[in-house]
């Protein structure tokens, strides 16, 4: 991978990180307050759900840091060493954490509170699918890193 190829990835990581911060700090708390106003019988859940989703987004942000580190590893033409394997594990674990938190919030909303409807059910299934797919993606990421490192050493 060349620096020109890495630049768009790093820009995308930065934009995603900024978007996640905006979600955490502004949009999610506003949405929690809005739902508390529309469903006063469940207003007591606004803070715990908002806090859980905000903490879940930390997993996404850690995954972005890991992705940045993996791109840096490819740029420095390091092979798939223990450090890059560690970053792939960090990425997988942090995304799994995020998916588990989101699935937990959705499961709680669907089963114990009986709130949510189709959107929450969809969020639950998306979270479970993400959780299941993370480890397959981790294996593919390791293959990509090996190929990217090999291409960089041949150029």
């Amino acid at each position: 991978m060349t620096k020109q190829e890495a630049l768009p990835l790093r820009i995308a990581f930065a934009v995603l990180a900024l978007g996640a911060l905006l979600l955490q700090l502004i949009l999610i708390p506003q949405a929690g307050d809005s739902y508390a106003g529309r469903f006063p019988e469940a207003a007591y859940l606004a803070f715990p759900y908002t806090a859980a989703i905000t903490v879940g987004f930390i997993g996404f942000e850690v995954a972005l840091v890991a992705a940045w580190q993996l791109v840096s590893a490819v740029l420095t033409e390091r092979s798939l060493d223990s450090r890059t394997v560690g970053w792939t594990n960090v990425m997988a674990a942090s995304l799994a954490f995020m998916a588990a938190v989101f699935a937990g919030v959705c499961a709680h909303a669907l089963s114990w509170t009986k709130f949510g409807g189709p959107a929450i059910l969809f969020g639950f299934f998306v979270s479970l699918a993400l959780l299941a797919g993370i480890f397959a993606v981790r294996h593919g990421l390791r293959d990509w890193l090996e190929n990217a490192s090999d291409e960089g050493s041949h150029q």
Side-chain angles (χ1 to χ4, degrees):
M1 174 181 290
T2 65
K3 288 183 180 183
Q4 292 79 16
E5 293 170 332
L7 183 62
L9 283 174
R10 288 189 166 173
I11 290 170
F13 296 155
V15 168
L16 287 169
L18 181 63
L21 279 173
L22 287 174
L23 280 170
Q24 277 180 297
L25 299 175
I26 298 171
L27 296 177
I28 291 173
Q30 286 178 353
D33 291 343
S34 171
Y35 280 114
R38 285 195 297 179
F39 302 103
E41 64 276 11
Y44 68 97
L45 292 172
F47 177 75
Y49 282 3
T50 300
I53 295 298
T54 300
V55 168
F57 267 99
I58 292 171
F60 179 71
E61 291 162 350
V62 170
L64 288 173
V65 170
W68 188 285
Q69 292 296 321
L70 291 171
V71 169
S72 295
V74 171
L75 284 175
T76 58
E77 298 181 5
R78 282 185 303 187
S79 62
L80 193 61
D81 61 7
S82 62
R83 188 168 171 215
T84 56
V85 169
W87 281 114
T88 60
N89 292 338
V90 165
M91 180 183 282
S94 61
L95 289 174
F97 170 77
M98 179 192 73
V101 167
F102 290 175
V105 169
C106 292
H108 185 268
L110 287 169
S111 60
W112 280 279
T113 64
K114 307 290 190 241
F115 289 106
I120 296 293
L121 185 62
F122 180 72
F124 177 71
F125 285 125
V126 167
S127 297
L128 290 181
L130 178 62
L131 194 56
I134 286 168
F135 299 101
V137 170
R138 187 184 85 181
H139 180 70
L141 179 61
R142 286 184 180 178
D143 290 344
W144 176 79
L145 284 169
E146 286 177 355
N147 292 336
S149 294
D150 290 342
E151 287 174 11
S153 63
H154 295 298
Q155 290 179 352

